[in-house]
Amino acid sequence: MDEVLLRSLTPGVLGILVRRGADFAAAEDAVQEALIEAVRVWPEDPPRDAKGWLVTVAWRRFLDATRADAARRRREDLVEEEPGPGSVPAVDDTLQLYFLCAHPSLTPASAVALTLRAVGGLTTRQIAAAYLVPEATMAQRISRAKRTVSGVRFERPGEVATVLRVLYLVFNEGYSGDVDLAAEAIRLTRRLAAAIDHPEVAGLLALMLLHHARRAARTAPDGSLVPLVSQDRKRWDTAVIAEGVDILQVALARDRLGEFQAQAAIAALHADAPTAGETDWVQIVEWYDELARLTDSPVVRLNRAVAVGEADGPRAGLAALAALDAALPRYTAVAAYLHERDGDLATAARLYSEAAHQAANLAERDHLTRQAARLNSG
């Protein structure tokens, strides 16, 4: 693969897409996906006209992204505000698409990736970040999934577990990412809960509601992030919290614990604390232990290290953190927080600065930069 050739062709391809009517940011994303595809395909099947190949593939990627974004916006137009409790229609075309994309011929990971790209409207970069894999790896996974289902008749719907995973990732992107999909994910999960009697569906709905109830307090008027410990709890939606807790209690009573119920239990403990200082961190650590047993997720263990630091002191939290891979997203930010709690302000300031450079979005980067500046000025 001639990387010099690819770099030399990129500006020209980008210019052609812009002249055809693509806005610059969308054109950049499309060209990036075309370059990733070139890295995958060219070693075995080099094109006769490299620039023409890149233009064709990039333009197709741009059109796919435009159609997906238009479909997402049409769905968002249906949701003017957070869906309220109560009866919901039994049929939903979007939810049916989620089940069809979660086809049995696909692995769960491929089905989730395909659904997020084709129905959820997320970019390949966003999906790769959610899965902690390189963008090129995710692009290949999505391409393989498309090829797998290209000749398949969609007569058998996918598994509920796969659809729940998709809805969870869509909600997370809407809650903390660049695209507002949280209300849409809640709407679809409500419909799924009305149609299917499943404790993990209820657990996911409870989790979404408990997080969404705190949304108004998560940002300051200037758009900056407000950490949980500093949030104005009077701005939390107590009615939504009560609904989420009720749904969770019914699900837990069935004694079929799953990861979404465990996550919802942690969120409920945060929501139940009148102040940050009254949070039951010991019980939260116990729930993280359950969640780690269910998922064996490194991200869960990272969050558990924070909880251990609150329950047993920052040095215990740092000891738990030391057992994890330092390449994990937000590892450095967690290390900075725990070092600050332990009184090592110089190390904390340095780590906050490093974490800011690693941040996935502008709001998070600004928050970490302010943390570093606060300690350095002090």
Side-chain angles (χ1 to χ4, degrees):
M1 171 58 59
D2 191 340
E3 295 184 6
V4 175
L5 173 63
L6 285 176
R7 284 197 297 270
S8 69
L9 293 175
T10 298
V13 175
L14 183 60
I16 290 173
L17 263 64
V18 171
R19 287 194 295 274
R20 285 186 178 183
D23 67 84
F24 189 80
E28 279 190 314
D29 285 342
V31 172
Q32 181 63 33
E33 292 200 24
L35 294 174
I36 292 171
E37 186 70 3
V39 170
R40 187 182 69 84
V41 171
W42 285 12
E44 296 181 1
D45 186 18
R48 293 182 179 179
D49 178 4
K51 184 175 182 179
W53 188 97
L54 286 171
V55 169
T56 299
V57 173
W59 184 248
R60 287 174 180 168
R61 295 293 191 272
F62 166 73
L63 292 178
D64 287 346
T66 300
R67 284 192 289 266
D69 186 61
R72 176 185 59 77
R73 292 183 185 278
R74 284 196 297 272
R75 293 193 299 274
E76 287 185 344
D77 287 341
L78 299 175
V79 187
E80 296 181 355
E81 58 184 20
E82 154 62 15
S87 60
V88 292
V91 178
D92 186 279
D93 290 341
T94 305
L95 194 55
Q96 289 178 349
L97 285 174
Y98 274 67
F99 272 96
L100 290 176
C101 284
H103 196 271
S105 63
L106 297 173
T107 64
S110 295
V112 170
L114 176 62
T115 314
L116 290 173
R117 188 73 183 91
V119 186
L122 273 64
T123 66
T124 303
R125 184 176 304 146
Q126 289 170 316
I127 302 168
Y131 268 88
L132 309 180
V133 299
E135 186 175 351
T137 300
M138 184 53 66
Q140 293 174 4
R141 184 178 298 176
I142 294 172
S143 295
R144 286 196 300 268
K146 288 179 179 178
R147 288 196 299 271
T148 298
V149 301
S150 61
V152 170
R153 295 184 64 185
F154 287 91
E155 295 175 340
R156 291 185 298 159
E159 295 291 330
V160 172
T162 303
V163 174
L164 289 179
R165 176 63 50 191
V166 175
L167 289 169
Y168 173 66
L169 292 174
V170 169
F171 176 81
N172 278 346
E173 191 61 40
Y175 188 66
S176 61
D178 302 323
V179 183
D180 186 0
L181 295 170
E184 169 71 354
I186 292 173
R187 182 181 72 84
L188 292 173
T189 307
R190 282 195 188 280
R191 294 183 183 275
L192 187 59
I196 299 176
D197 182 21
H198 192 297
E200 273 293 82
V201 176
L204 179 58
L205 179 57
L207 174 63
M208 289 179 174
L209 293 173
L210 288 164
H211 277 301
H212 208 61
R214 304 199 306 257
R215 186 169 187 173
R218 291 184 69 248
T219 54
D222 63 358
S224 60
L225 289 179
V226 179
L228 179 61
V229 67
S230 303
Q231 288 177 15
D232 180 0
R233 299 184 179 222
K234 294 178 182 177
R235 299 186 66 195
W236 292 0
D237 191 327
T238 54
V240 174
I241 289 173
E243 185 194 359
V245 170
D246 287 344
I247 292 171
L248 174 62
Q249 288 175 338
V250 172
L252 290 175
R254 300 179 65 175
D255 198 23
R256 290 169 54 194
L257 183 64
E259 62 174 295
F260 295 124
Q261 295 169 71
Q263 288 191 57
I266 293 168
L269 286 166
H270 283 298
D272 188 54
T275 66
E278 296 173 85
T279 304
D280 189 346
W281 286 106
V282 172
Q283 194 173 169
I284 287 176
V285 171
E286 292 173 355
W287 275 110
Y288 270 122
D289 289 338
E290 288 285 351
L291 190 55
R293 179 182 60 80
L294 289 165
T295 67
D296 195 28
S297 164
V299 176
V300 168
R301 297 187 185 280
L302 183 68
N303 291 331
R304 179 185 178 277
V306 177
V308 169
E310 299 289 351
D312 300 327
R315 294 195 179 181
L318 286 168
L321 186 66
L324 304 176
D325 185 351
L328 277 172
R330 296 188 174 90
Y331 179 101
T332 309
V334 170
Y337 174 74
L338 291 171
H339 276 290
E340 181 182 0
R341 289 279 319 282
D342 195 37
D344 187 350
L345 303 188
T347 299
R350 175 178 58 80
L351 291 172
Y352 276 130
S353 181
E354 291 179 12
H357 287 92
Q358 301 167 3
N361 58 66
L362 181 60
E364 186 176 344
R365 184 170 71 230
D366 288 347
H367 170 71
L368 292 167
T369 300
R370 282 193 295 272
Q371 296 296 89
R374 172 178 58 82
L375 294 182
N376 284 325
S377 64

